[in-house]
Amino acid sequence: MTTEIIKHKYLQDCFIERDSETGSCYEIKTLPPGEKPRKKASYVKHKDTFIGVFASTQGPVLFINQKLFFFTDQSWVVKLNKQANGNQFTLLQNGQKLFEADYQPPKPDPLDPWSDEESVDLFVWITAKRNDQEIAQMWTLEQ
């Protein structure tokens, strides 16, 4: 079993241990001895679902629990509907809805000049960066 540690998008003491072979995820509160989280990866938990992005040799990869969606695969799209009472994030593949999350977006830190909607909300980041070539290059690991 090959595991990876991925840090929560905005909670400092929350991680998942993800099995890269099966895709199974387990939330952990402390890092295993000698382990460090991946540099280009983050996740959030929505209800009982882990949603995140990690860098790979094929570019950025969106994961929703065990399912992987490579940013290079144009068969899927994401939509973000901002509403007064919260946001709705939807993932469609070949026109079929695979995932939907209604959620309250996190607020940017007013004391952090670099904190903005995209930096604190993973769903906003995914939507904005889905077809961003610079992100595709930055999140592609060398073999």
Side-chain angles (χ1 to χ4, degrees):
M1 177 167 85
T2 306
T3 59
E4 308 169 303
I5 305 296
I6 299 176
K7 186 183 176 315
H8 196 280
K9 177 70 175 163
Y10 48 84
L11 298 177
Q12 295 298 321
D13 61 345
C14 206
F15 306 88
I16 57 172
E17 190 171 71
R18 183 178 178 281
D19 184 319
S20 59
E21 294 173 12
T22 67
S24 62
C25 299
Y26 304 95
E27 208 156 31
I28 57 176
K29 294 292 181 184
T30 58
L31 292 174
E35 291 284 339
K36 292 185 179 179
R38 291 183 64 146
K39 287 185 180 178
K40 291 185 181 167
S42 65
Y43 82 97
V44 294
K45 187 175 183 183
H46 179 73
K47 298 183 180 178
D48 291 330
T49 304
F50 295 106
I51 302 102
V53 179
F54 61 86
S56 79
T57 56
Q58 289 118 24
V61 180
L62 169 66
F63 68 90
I64 299 176
N65 286 339
Q66 287 86 4
K67 294 180 183 169
L68 300 180
F69 301 92
F70 291 83
F71 277 43
T72 55
D73 178 0
Q74 293 301 307
S75 71
W76 62 276
V77 297
V78 290
K79 296 181 180 182
L80 185 68
N81 185 13
K82 296 179 182 181
Q83 304 164 351
N85 59 342
N87 291 352
Q88 183 178 67
F89 175 84
T90 307
L91 181 137
L92 303 141
Q93 187 169 38
N94 297 319
Q96 200 169 19
K97 188 188 311 179
L98 297 183
F99 177 76
E100 187 171 79
D102 293 309
Y103 71 100
Q104 290 300 315
K107 303 272 188 230
D109 181 347
L111 300 177
D112 180 352
W114 300 106
S115 181
D116 62 12
E117 181 184 43
E118 194 175 289
S119 69
V120 298
D121 187 335
L122 185 62
F123 294 121
V124 170
W125 187 90
I126 293 166
T127 305
K129 304 304 183 185
R130 168 65 178 101
N131 293 302
D132 185 308
Q133 292 304 310
E134 184 177 7
I135 290 298
Q137 289 176 340
M138 289 172 49
W139 284 60
T140 300
L141 303 175
E142 294 183 20
Q143 292 189 24

